[in-house]
Amino acid sequence: MTGEPALKLPAFDPDVVSETNFTSYPEPHRAANQMRHNRRLGDYAGLRNFGVNLTRIVPGGQSSYRHAHSRQDEFIFVLEGEVVLQTNDGEQILKPGMCAGFPAGCGDAHRFVNRSVADARLLVIGDRSTDDEISYPDVDMHARLAPDGAYRFSTKSGEPL
Amino acid sequence: MTGEPALKLPAFDPDVVSETNFTSYPEPHRAANQMRHNRRLGDYAGLRNFGVNLTRIVPGGQSSYRHAHSRQDEFIFVLEGEVVLQTNDGEQILKPGMCAGFPAGCGDAHRFVNRSVADARLLVIGDRSTDDEISYPDVDMHARLAPDGAYRFSTKSGEPL
C-alpha cells in the first residue's frame, strides 16, 4: 500500500507491464541478447506508429548487437544506471538524463552495453516504417522487415537463419 | 567543470539543446501555451520520423490545450515533478516514472497541467504521420497538417485563425 490511487489508462505505471527477455534473433545469436528485459509500453498503450520500450540491461548485457536501420529512426533516453554506447566512432559512457538519436539511413551502427555492477534502464523509441533493413557489422546477420511486421533474418550472404 | 567528458553526437546531454516556448497556436490561444518550454531532442539528433521533446511545464502551465490526433500516436513519460493529466474521463496525477499513451484516432482529448509549485519535466513523443488532424474540445480551434509539415489552424466552423 503506497496510498496512491492506481492509474487508469491512458496513464499507467510501467511496472504493470510484464518484462520479457524474448529476442527475435535467430541462433546462434540469441543468448547474448537475453540479458536485457523489455517492457513494451507503447504496445500496452495501444500505439501502432512507434514502439516505446522500457529496457532493463543487467550487468554484462547488451541492448542488441550493434546495428543500423535503413528506414527507421531510433532514440534512447537513460533513466537509471550507466551504459556504454558503442558506435562506429568508438565508445561513450551515458548516465541518467543523457540521450542519443540514430536517424534512419545514417549507417552508424550502435548498441548499449552495461559494464557496471547495477541494472541500467533506458527508454527506447523506434518507429515502424515499412521496408526497413537492419545491418549488423559485428556478426554475420542481416534483417529485412516483412509486410507482416516481423523481421526475417539471414546471413550477410542471404542464407536464411 | 564536472570532470565528465562532453558527449559527442549521436549522444548528447539535453541541456545543450536550447529551450523555446514558441507555440504554433494562433491568437487568441497563444499565451496559455507559453508556460511550457520545449527542447527538441529528436530534431537535434536529426530524426525525421518522430519527434521527441523534453517539455518543462512551469507552475500554472499546460503542455497544450486538451486535444486528440486523428493519425498520430503520442506518448509521454514523466521525468520530474508532478502533472495532472486531463482526459475525457477526468483527471489523474502522474509522478516521475509514470507514463501515458494516446493512440491515433482514439478521440480521447488530453493535456497535462502543472498545479504544483515546482517545474515538471516530461518526455513527449509523437510521430509525423501525414494528413493528421487535431481536435480541441475545449476551445474553438481545429488543426490540419498541411503537406509542408505545418499545421493550419481554423475555428471549428472552418474560419482561418
Side-chain angles (χ1 to χ4, degrees):
Chain A
M1 286 293 290
T2 63
E4 303 286 345
L7 295 175
K8 293 179 186 169
L9 280 172
F12 59 102
D13 182 331
D15 284 349
V16 304
V17 183
S18 58
E19 266 195 334
T20 173
N21 72 341
F22 173 80
T23 177
S24 58
Y25 285 0
E27 294 297 1
H29 303 300
R30 275 188 191 139
N33 221 43
Q34 293 189 308
M35 294 173 75
R36 59 95 186 94
H37 303 260
N38 287 322
R39 287 186 159 96
R40 302 185 177 284
L41 307 186
D43 288 354
Y44 185 81
L47 306 190
R48 300 177 65 175
N49 296 341
F50 57 88
V52 180
N53 282 352
L54 180 51
T55 298
R56 177 172 63 91
I57 310 176
V58 304
Q62 65 176 10
S63 56
S64 65
Y65 276 108
R66 211 159 61 84
H67 71 286
H69 289 271
S70 67
R71 305 283 295 264
Q72 297 183 352
D73 287 344
E74 201 175 330
F75 188 88
I76 75 95
F77 189 95
V78 182
L79 295 173
E80 188 181 323
E82 183 178 299
V83 286
V84 178
L85 167 61
Q86 298 178 325
T87 63
N88 294 1
D89 288 335
E91 297 190 349
Q92 301 182 71
I93 294 174
L94 273 66
K95 298 193 171 184
M98 305 296 104
C99 62
F102 308 96
C106 70
D108 193 4
H110 63 276
R111 71 170 177 174
F112 297 88
V113 297
N114 183 354
R115 292 201 192 120
S116 79
V117 295
D119 287 1
R121 285 184 170 77
L122 314 176
L123 269 187
V124 181
I125 300 121
D127 67 275
R128 292 178 172 157
S129 294
T130 56
D131 299 321
D132 188 52
E133 292 192 41
I134 315 178
S135 305
Y136 299 89
D138 303 331
V139 288
D140 188 12
M141 186 163 75
H142 188 83
R144 288 172 193 268
L145 185 56
D148 65 5
Y151 284 95
R152 301 288 187 271
F153 291 88
S154 68
T155 64
K156 291 189 195 309
S157 63
E159 295 292 317
L161 282 175
Chain B
M1 290 289 291
T2 63
E4 302 285 344
L7 295 176
K8 293 178 187 170
L9 281 172
F12 58 103
D13 182 332
D15 284 348
V16 304
V17 183
S18 59
E19 267 194 334
T20 173
N21 72 341
F22 172 82
T23 178
S24 59
Y25 284 2
E27 294 296 2
H29 303 299
R30 277 189 191 138
N33 222 42
Q34 293 189 310
M35 294 173 74
R36 60 94 185 94
H37 302 261
N38 287 322
R39 287 187 159 94
R40 301 185 177 283
L41 307 186
D43 288 354
Y44 185 81
L47 305 190
R48 299 178 64 177
N49 296 341
F50 56 88
V52 181
N53 283 352
L54 180 51
T55 299
R56 177 172 64 90
I57 310 175
V58 304
Q62 65 176 11
S63 57
S64 65
Y65 278 107
R66 210 158 61 85
H67 70 286
H69 289 272
S70 66
R71 305 283 294 264
Q72 297 182 353
D73 286 345
E74 201 174 330
F75 188 89
I76 76 94
F77 189 95
V78 181
L79 296 173
E80 189 182 321
E82 183 178 299
V83 286
V84 178
L85 167 61
Q86 298 179 325
T87 63
N88 293 1
D89 287 335
E91 297 189 348
Q92 302 182 70
I93 294 174
L94 272 66
K95 298 194 170 182
M98 305 295 105
C99 61
F102 307 96
C106 70
D108 193 3
H110 62 278
R111 72 170 177 174
F112 297 88
V113 296
N114 183 353
R115 292 201 192 123
S116 80
V117 295
D119 287 2
R121 284 184 171 78
L122 315 176
L123 269 186
V124 181
I125 300 122
D127 67 276
R128 291 176 174 161
S129 294
T130 56
D131 299 321
D132 188 53
E133 292 192 40
I134 315 178
S135 304
Y136 299 89
D138 303 330
V139 288
D140 188 12
M141 186 163 74
H142 189 83
R144 289 172 193 267
L145 184 57
D148 65 5
Y151 283 95
R152 302 287 187 272
F153 290 89
S154 69
T155 64
K156 291 189 197 306
S157 63
E159 295 292 317
L161 284 175

